[in-house]
Amino acid sequence: MRELSGNRLAYLDSPCDPFFPGTGFPRLETPQWVGEEGVEAVIVLSVDDLRDPARHEQFLRPILERLKTVDGRAPVSLMANTLPPSHPLIQQWLQEGLTIEVHTITHPCPLLQQGDFSAAKRSYEECIDMIAERTGIPPCAVRIPCCDSMNSPSPRFFSEIFAARTPQGRFLSVDSSVLVVFTQQDTELDSAVVTDEEGRPRFSKYIPPEREMGNFVENYPYPYVIGNLCWEIPALMPSDWNAQHLNGRCSPVSLRDWKIAVDAVVLKRGIWALCFHPHGWVASDQIVALIEHVQEKFGARVKFLTFREVLRRLEQNLLKGQSLRDSEGRDNGVRILDINGDGWMDIVIANGQLQVTRIWRPESCSWHEVPFPAVLVAGEEETGAQSFEVRFGLLGESPKVCVLVRKGSQLDLWVWHEEMWQQVPAGTEGLEELAEAFGEVNSQDTGIRFRDVDGDGICELLVAGPRCNRVFSWQTDLSNPARNSGRTEGAVPAGRWVPRPYTVPGNFVDSNGRDNGLRLVDLDADGDLDVLLSNAQEWLVARFDSPEKGWRILRRGKPGDSGAPPAFVDENGANLGAWFKFGRLWIQNEHTGRWVGEGTTRIRLAADWLPLERFLSEEEKETPP
């Protein structure tokens, strides 16, 4: 299968996928955001299931005292279910440097279950407001219960619960429910790191095969952004639950593997959120031994932080004091992407207060700033911080990041070249029908996307909405020297957008700009993007045949038909929790999952999944050459 490098920016405007990064994805290394010279990696010690402060105190006290010997602080994040009002330990912990974060009131496993979406939302929101009221400090982070033992995290949670505000108007900014697993595909890591002394995969052996888990990323121990609103701080596999599930309680093998995990995180200059519990799965002295390993081997190169401290440093040092969410919890116009293709993440901040591009220079460990030519969200005084249509893609001979900006009927195309954004001469020629179709539509999503549909590394411009459905290719014009006067080597030459003789089989959005349930996914591993569409009214499967012919619809029908895929959105465009990984369609919501096994081996599977090849007709299932 060819790498879909032309779609490396698709995550910026695709339906929510919490599990999109992986091996080789551009990284956001610790020196880019930590703001402290010499610090190469960060560890967040995060303890789940806070209900009884006395029990946590007994378990944590040796750990806290050992942390204090490092720099006088005890940076631990406690993931709470409930807090007794006015308990004296709460204020003591806060003064020592701990933070108290969200783990839901009722600890449902999985969070979404039993057909009751409102129960999941209520358990999450009540926990936020309870912590804020009983500590005086609003929480900033959440960990979904049982994320280490089942597919509890879901795109539905991030889109429909995390993105909202509580009845008291509060919201969070950080999640740590996605697991990260080091594998043998990471060529940076020696075989002795990813293969244990018994010859097994050191870290992926902890993924319980009987639980059919797809809620993890591989070889990506870095902060990343989910749905433009949430910082994900992935929790390294294994948690102490995974460790005891495989090795037994308090096993020295688990501690051995954790120490090697620290070595890997430091080598990759990443972050590790250790998820553990006060339930006897790991002993306090094992965590102390892990801290001592860090101090003895790495010293000040590793910093222990809480989730709140991580968030503060990301906002201050990476985002120039900005945040992913504005004061009302809405998109604040921040995008994290690799603009110059060097493998490190860069920053775009484009709101009513600031329009800047920040390019990371790894050789000097510093940021270079230039203006950004547009805003991604309007100022609150204009349209309530609603997004303009700003789409990122890849164009040109050696593909460069480009930006198409639409504000009403005005369209502009910019490309990153010679360390600045340069406007492409006549960059929207051929798109006149879009200006006409969308002239009265300002902040609504009209279905414009850059996607490399044919795997050549260069994006096509797809427009798939009720007002317009077209596919355009950029056609350069080198025959007219006047149009290319002043063009420097490597810049995108002047040209025009040319419509292809086919349309997208379905729309990205409905008439209200809401998700219509169309997903672009490579069903047959040939490097081209096929179409799966499934909503409350219809479904279809279409295979991409060629750049000349486009898509061919293989099957279509109504919900409930035999062979129909699960709906990806409901009748209001709400995300129902589907994602694609490991050649499968996964879906997790309040209606999915099942019990398997008997007696003591009976377990709950939270998600359903289907192999992608199921959606192809029999003659389409053969592996392409």
PDB file of all heavy atoms in Angstrom, residues 84 140 304 311 333 460 464 508 529 532 550 602:
ATOM      1  N   PRO A  84     -15.391  14.058  49.125  1.00  0.00           N
ATOM      2  CA  PRO A  84     -16.179  14.448  50.295  1.00  0.00           C
ATOM      3  C   PRO A  84     -16.074  15.956  50.510  1.00  0.00           C
ATOM      4  O   PRO A  84     -14.984  16.529  50.395  1.00  0.00           O
ATOM      5  CB  PRO A  84     -15.519  13.684  51.444  1.00  0.00           C
ATOM      6  CG  PRO A  84     -14.721  12.596  50.791  1.00  0.00           C
ATOM      7  CD  PRO A  84     -14.301  13.134  49.460  1.00  0.00           C
ATOM      8  N   CYS A 140      -9.039  20.625  34.607  1.00  0.00           N
ATOM      9  CA  CYS A 140      -8.705  20.876  33.199  1.00  0.00           C
ATOM     10  C   CYS A 140      -8.644  19.602  32.383  1.00  0.00           C
ATOM     11  O   CYS A 140      -8.616  19.668  31.154  1.00  0.00           O
ATOM     12  CB  CYS A 140      -7.373  21.620  33.092  1.00  0.00           C
ATOM     13  SG  CYS A 140      -5.916  20.619  33.475  1.00  0.00           S
ATOM     14  N   PHE A 304       8.826  16.097  36.042  1.00  0.00           N
ATOM     15  CA  PHE A 304       7.526  15.607  36.489  1.00  0.00           C
ATOM     16  C   PHE A 304       6.559  16.789  36.538  1.00  0.00           C
ATOM     17  O   PHE A 304       6.836  17.808  37.187  1.00  0.00           O
ATOM     18  CB  PHE A 304       7.631  14.960  37.874  1.00  0.00           C
ATOM     19  CG  PHE A 304       8.361  13.646  37.874  1.00  0.00           C
ATOM     20  CD1 PHE A 304       9.721  13.592  38.151  1.00  0.00           C
ATOM     21  CD2 PHE A 304       7.694  12.463  37.588  1.00  0.00           C
ATOM     22  CE1 PHE A 304      10.406  12.385  38.152  1.00  0.00           C
ATOM     23  CE2 PHE A 304       8.369  11.248  37.587  1.00  0.00           C
ATOM     24  CZ  PHE A 304       9.726  11.204  37.867  1.00  0.00           C
ATOM     25  N   LEU A 311      -0.700  21.695  30.513  1.00  0.00           N
ATOM     26  CA  LEU A 311      -1.571  22.600  29.760  1.00  0.00           C
ATOM     27  C   LEU A 311      -1.045  24.027  29.813  1.00  0.00           C
ATOM     28  O   LEU A 311      -0.994  24.726  28.787  1.00  0.00           O
ATOM     29  CB  LEU A 311      -2.991  22.538  30.321  1.00  0.00           C
ATOM     30  CG  LEU A 311      -3.995  23.515  29.692  1.00  0.00           C
ATOM     31  CD1 LEU A 311      -4.193  23.216  28.213  1.00  0.00           C
ATOM     32  CD2 LEU A 311      -5.324  23.470  30.444  1.00  0.00           C
ATOM     33  N   GLY A 333      -9.301  28.952  16.903  1.00  0.00           N
ATOM     34  CA  GLY A 333      -8.497  29.224  15.714  1.00  0.00           C
ATOM     35  C   GLY A 333      -7.046  28.817  15.825  1.00  0.00           C
ATOM     36  O   GLY A 333      -6.174  29.451  15.226  1.00  0.00           O
ATOM     37  N   GLU A 460      -6.516  16.969  -4.483  1.00  0.00           N
ATOM     38  CA  GLU A 460      -7.611  17.507  -5.272  1.00  0.00           C
ATOM     39  C   GLU A 460      -8.460  18.384  -4.347  1.00  0.00           C
ATOM     40  O   GLU A 460      -8.372  18.280  -3.120  1.00  0.00           O
ATOM     41  CB  GLU A 460      -8.477  16.388  -5.853  1.00  0.00           C
ATOM     42  CG  GLU A 460      -7.855  15.658  -7.029  1.00  0.00           C
ATOM     43  CD  GLU A 460      -6.657  14.808  -6.638  1.00  0.00           C
ATOM     44  OE1 GLU A 460      -6.747  14.068  -5.641  1.00  0.00           O
ATOM     45  OE2 GLU A 460      -5.622  14.897  -7.327  1.00  0.00           O
ATOM     46  N   ALA A 464     -18.335  18.994  -1.650  1.00  0.00           N
ATOM     47  CA  ALA A 464     -19.409  18.007  -1.554  1.00  0.00           C
ATOM     48  C   ALA A 464     -20.420  18.459  -0.515  1.00  0.00           C
ATOM     49  O   ALA A 464     -20.328  18.121   0.668  1.00  0.00           O
ATOM     50  CB  ALA A 464     -18.848  16.632  -1.204  1.00  0.00           C
ATOM     51  N   PHE A 508     -20.359  15.750   2.082  1.00  0.00           N
ATOM     52  CA  PHE A 508     -19.737  15.805   3.404  1.00  0.00           C
ATOM     53  C   PHE A 508     -20.688  16.391   4.444  1.00  0.00           C
ATOM     54  O   PHE A 508     -20.659  15.997   5.610  1.00  0.00           O
ATOM     55  CB  PHE A 508     -18.469  16.667   3.365  1.00  0.00           C
ATOM     56  CG  PHE A 508     -17.325  16.052   2.617  1.00  0.00           C
ATOM     57  CD1 PHE A 508     -16.743  16.716   1.544  1.00  0.00           C
ATOM     58  CD2 PHE A 508     -16.808  14.819   2.983  1.00  0.00           C
ATOM     59  CE1 PHE A 508     -15.675  16.167   0.852  1.00  0.00           C
ATOM     60  CE2 PHE A 508     -15.745  14.252   2.297  1.00  0.00           C
ATOM     61  CZ  PHE A 508     -15.179  14.930   1.224  1.00  0.00           C
ATOM     62  N   LEU A 529      -8.676   6.772  -2.236  1.00  0.00           N
ATOM     63  CA  LEU A 529      -9.707   6.971  -1.226  1.00  0.00           C
ATOM     64  C   LEU A 529     -11.071   6.562  -1.772  1.00  0.00           C
ATOM     65  O   LEU A 529     -11.570   7.135  -2.737  1.00  0.00           O
ATOM     66  CB  LEU A 529      -9.741   8.436  -0.787  1.00  0.00           C
ATOM     67  CG  LEU A 529      -8.530   8.921   0.015  1.00  0.00           C
ATOM     68  CD1 LEU A 529      -8.711  10.380   0.413  1.00  0.00           C
ATOM     69  CD2 LEU A 529      -8.310   8.058   1.250  1.00  0.00           C
ATOM     70  N   LEU A 532     -17.367   5.616   2.005  1.00  0.00           N
ATOM     71  CA  LEU A 532     -18.415   4.993   2.808  1.00  0.00           C
ATOM     72  C   LEU A 532     -19.303   6.118   3.318  1.00  0.00           C
ATOM     73  O   LEU A 532     -18.810   7.053   3.963  1.00  0.00           O
ATOM     74  CB  LEU A 532     -17.824   4.241   4.000  1.00  0.00           C
ATOM     75  CG  LEU A 532     -17.519   2.755   3.868  1.00  0.00           C
ATOM     76  CD1 LEU A 532     -16.944   2.227   5.180  1.00  0.00           C
ATOM     77  CD2 LEU A 532     -18.760   1.964   3.498  1.00  0.00           C
ATOM     78  N   GLY A 550     -13.127   8.385 -11.640  1.00  0.00           N
ATOM     79  CA  GLY A 550     -13.639   8.703 -10.315  1.00  0.00           C
ATOM     80  C   GLY A 550     -14.198   7.489  -9.602  1.00  0.00           C
ATOM     81  O   GLY A 550     -13.686   6.371  -9.726  1.00  0.00           O
ATOM     82  N   ARG A 602     -16.038 -13.919  31.923  1.00  0.00           N
ATOM     83  CA  ARG A 602     -16.992 -13.081  31.196  1.00  0.00           C
ATOM     84  C   ARG A 602     -16.510 -11.631  31.197  1.00  0.00           C
ATOM     85  O   ARG A 602     -16.197 -11.066  32.246  1.00  0.00           O
ATOM     86  CB  ARG A 602     -18.373 -13.178  31.848  1.00  0.00           C
ATOM     87  CG  ARG A 602     -19.505 -12.577  31.029  1.00  0.00           C
ATOM     88  CD  ARG A 602     -20.848 -13.003  31.616  1.00  0.00           C
ATOM     89  NE  ARG A 602     -21.955 -12.557  30.787  1.00  0.00           N
ATOM     90  CZ  ARG A 602     -22.772 -11.559  31.101  1.00  0.00           C
ATOM     91  NH1 ARG A 602     -22.599 -10.905  32.248  1.00  0.00           N
ATOM     92  NH2 ARG A 602     -23.757 -11.221  30.304  1.00  0.00           N
TER      93      ARG A 602
END
